[in-house]
Amino acid sequence: MNATALTPDQEKILPTPLLNGRLGGGALIFVFMGAWISAAGAALSLPQSRSPRLAHAIDDASPITAPHEYAVDKNFANQPTGSFAQSIAALSGDSAAARLQEIARLIQTGQLAEAQAGFVQLQSKPLNIAQRREMQFRQAQLAYALGQYAHAIEWLRRIHPSANSATTSAINANLHPPAASGMQILRLLADAQQALGRRSDALLTLLRLDALLAPTERLAHQRRILALLNSLDSLSRSLLREKLLRENTVMATLNGWLTLSDIARLATPQQRRHALRQWRAHYPDHPATTALLLASEPLSRRQHIAMLLPITSPFGKSAQAFYDGFLAARERDLSAAQPTVSLMDIGEAPALAPLYARTAVQGGADFIVGPLGRKAVNALLSGARPRLPTLVLGNIPAHHSAPNLYGISLSPEPEARQAADRAFADGHRKASVFHSDSEWGQRVATAFAQRWEVLGGVVVDQRSFPRRISDYSQIIQELLGLKDSLAREQNLAAQLQLELEFTPRRRDDLDFLFLAAQAEQARLVAPQLRFFQAHDLPLYATSHVYSGTPNPATDADLNGVLFGDMDWMIEAAAWSQPTRSAPAERAASQYYHTGLDRLYALGLESYRLIPLLPTLREQPWRRYLGNAVHVSVQADGNAVRHLAWARFERGLPVPVAPISNPVGAPQQ
């Protein structure tokens, strides 16, 4: 039975069948009891006053289902009438302790209406302090069982007003046998918080509970902690750390857990074991057990990989760079299970992609990589679903998702969304979007704005600029409100009939600017923004502002611009300095320090990702940390590239801390 949650003002102890508009066995007794409660001014209504707090910003809209230790049979209303009558009889004894024990049994067995009747019976009995607290705990259990999680938390606060933040010892100090223990309270509190989607609160409660558990219970409990942490994205984890710092929470243990969850995200057992050794050195006294990370998953090895690429087409250079990176990774694969790799050039006929895929099947391939390009990918997905596991070089729309279909790309929209995450984590809330008037620029701006508003930010203004001009002064002055400022000055001077000394001021309702532009455009726009008084506004962008070729003289105009890119590209930029040198293997590549190096790196890591794709898809929180790029795979099969961050200084990209870095964590 699904009871409808009522507001605190409405929710008196009414018979559950009546709350659902149903009259089950014993309902007439309930009607009589309800009238008696009303006449006597019953004191057992669910907590009044406070409404539940809104979920924290780090908690997303869809809550995780909490483990129901207090599972109930919600079809209890259909039980035989005799069972109900027996429960009422059992509750009619003289001992308040016996009644509380019977109420606990009824809740545990799912007889919620009978449990509510038990609370009514307690009205006629005096309760000591311990019994009243136990009654409040049982009310919390009942509210939880009915799905009224906010009410459950309110009842727990009645036992201890600061149940959300008090230490377990403080909770236990207010409880006496046979009342619920602090462990029971914390367990129920965490379940209710998690069911409401209040993940940060649930996490802190679970950490307090962890110290009280017996060794035999801790592994399962710590797996729950880890799963909760792994359900948070990078932005949520960053905001959680900020919240903990603001509340002066002891950070050592919490940072250890956060770092441990980062290790759990690593894709291979070898990576996890190496990182775990370093973790233990940093956190020698941490309560977490290493057993959490020692399980390994089987790799999905392939024997014959067919690559569908448009080598002889306008995309030929990009396709060749990807192919060369893929083969380079195969050559460096020292395992005995190197697959055969065959290339099929689909040329300038993207519509033939399905035909080439069928040919690959006939040729004995057991995995397909490609095609590359939006038209070819759409052609492949629009036909019959691929018979073989396939990694397309593009994004898979939701309606084409399939268990054996994966997608990876350099699409700009995910980068724009991560730029929004970065700006929000950096504390900004009011954005202005400035983008190229091309179709590409509009896509990037839209992706950023949509993500920004989901996060709770405000897009104060959004403007486009033409691609083929070099003077953006008029558009920038409108964007920054300088024209409005100048108009006010002219109006005032006319009214006063005086010549005024006046410097136009830009609008003050912006925290930062997001720029959607290619490198050449960005070099023109950025200095003009600074000239028109935007020098103190942070400027965020995607990887497209960096050409891939280190050029301090040309890119000095981009100084101060913060952008996300592959680790591969940012690392290569650092090697361009006189005091640094690239490994010979990198320096010898024809793609080194070119824009095509991104596609070469994508090919390199795609080869290494193929055996891991099924595991990564089953565990979307886990990450593959490659030399070139960090990747996770969503449930729909689309791979997510997790960007590194850099800021232009003296014309070169300089790495900055990622938003997922633990605040105050040991630096390696």
Side-chain angles (χ1 to χ4, degrees), residues 374 409-417 419 436 438 440-441 443-445 447 465 514-523 540-549 555 558 561-566 569-570 595 598-599 641 643-646 648 653:
R374 194 181 304 178
S409 74
L410 296 177
S411 298
E413 289 92 341
E415 294 192 15
R417 288 188 280 269
S436 164
S438 64
W440 175 91
R443 283 166 46 204
V444 174
F465 54 84
F514 174 70
L515 177 63
Q518 301 288 342
E520 185 177 352
Q521 297 168 319
R523 294 189 199 106
Y540 290 73
T542 62
S543 66
H544 305 84
V545 298
Y546 178 46
S547 67
T549 303
D555 287 340
L558 294 173
V561 176
L562 183 70
F563 69 99
D565 205 340
M566 289 182 174
M569 303 300 291
I570 296 171
R598 292 187 180 94
L599 279 154
R641 294 181 296 114
L643 303 178
W645 291 91
F648 279 100

Side-chain angles (χ1 to χ4, degrees), residues 177-195:
S181 72
M183 289 172 55
Q184 289 176 294
I185 290 175
L186 289 174
R187 188 175 281 117
L188 179 56
L189 178 62
D191 287 350
Q193 289 166 333
Q194 195 171 347

Side-chain angles (χ1 to χ4, degrees), residues 153-167:
I153 292 173
E154 293 295 327
W155 278 115
L156 294 175
R157 284 178 179 155
R158 286 206 171 183
I159 302 173
H160 192 288
S162 54
N164 261 344
S165 58
T167 63

Side-chain angles (χ1 to χ4, degrees), residues 161-433:
S162 54
N164 261 344
S165 58
T167 63
T168 305
S169 59
I171 294 174
N172 278 327
N174 286 272
L175 299 170
H176 307 280
S181 72
M183 289 172 55
Q184 289 176 294
I185 290 175
L186 289 174
R187 188 175 281 117
L188 179 56
L189 178 62
D191 287 350
Q193 289 166 333
Q194 195 171 347
L196 283 173
R198 287 164 47 175
R199 301 183 188 187
S200 59
D201 288 339
L203 177 62
L204 295 177
T205 302
L206 290 173
L207 292 178
R208 290 199 296 274
L209 176 60
D210 184 64
L212 296 174
L213 296 176
T216 55
E217 298 179 282
R218 296 187 76 183
L219 180 58
H221 180 77
Q222 290 180 358
R223 282 177 175 156
R224 180 179 175 187
I225 292 173
L226 204 58
L228 183 56
L229 281 167
N230 286 330
S231 71
L232 304 177
D233 58 22
S234 295
L235 175 66
S236 300
R237 293 154 70 83
S238 177
L239 294 176
L240 173 59
R241 293 181 182 109
E242 291 181 9
K243 168 184 166 61
L244 298 178
L245 276 182
R246 287 195 304 270
E247 296 181 358
N248 296 318
T249 307
V250 176
M251 292 295 293
T253 299
L254 293 168
N255 270 334
W257 275 110
L258 289 163
T259 308
L260 194 61
S261 72
D262 289 333
I263 295 173
R265 291 168 178 254
L266 299 177
T268 66
Q270 294 88 348
Q271 288 176 323
R272 292 199 295 278
R273 282 194 291 268
H274 175 71
L276 187 58
R277 285 193 294 270
Q278 294 181 318
W279 178 85
R280 272 299 181 202
H282 286 310
Y283 301 100
D285 301 321
H286 196 276
T289 170
T290 56
L292 287 170
L293 298 175
L294 295 183
S296 62
E297 299 84 10
L299 299 181
S300 179
R301 294 288 185 184
R302 298 298 171 183
Q303 296 181 348
H304 182 183
I305 299 173
M307 303 187 72
L308 281 54
L309 297 173
I311 300 296
T312 54
S313 77
F315 300 104
K317 290 183 179 180
S318 297
Q320 188 67 53
F322 180 89
Y323 179 64
D324 289 345
F326 197 90
L327 290 186
R330 182 184 179 277
E331 291 172 3
R332 299 169 195 170
D333 184 357
L334 301 180
S335 70
Q338 281 189 359
T340 299
V341 176
S342 58
L343 173 64
M344 296 184 177
D345 179 10
I346 67 175
E348 297 187 58
L352 296 181
L355 174 62
Y356 283 100
R358 290 194 295 271
T359 303
V361 174
Q362 295 166 3
D366 59 3
F367 196 93
I368 293 175
V369 174
L372 171 68
R374 194 181 304 178
K375 290 183 180 179
V377 170
N378 288 341
L380 180 68
L381 299 182
S382 297
R385 288 187 174 178
R387 293 169 54 186
L388 297 179
T390 301
L391 175 64
V392 301
L393 307 182
N395 293 321
I396 304 169
H399 60 281
H400 283 309
S401 179
N404 65 345
L405 196 56
Y406 303 89
I408 190 168
S409 74
L410 296 177
S411 298
E413 289 92 341
E415 294 192 15
R417 288 188 280 269
Q418 289 186 54
D421 290 346
R422 175 77 202 208
F424 197 88
D426 288 345
H428 304 306
R429 296 298 180 265
K430 294 180 288 186
S432 183
V433 180

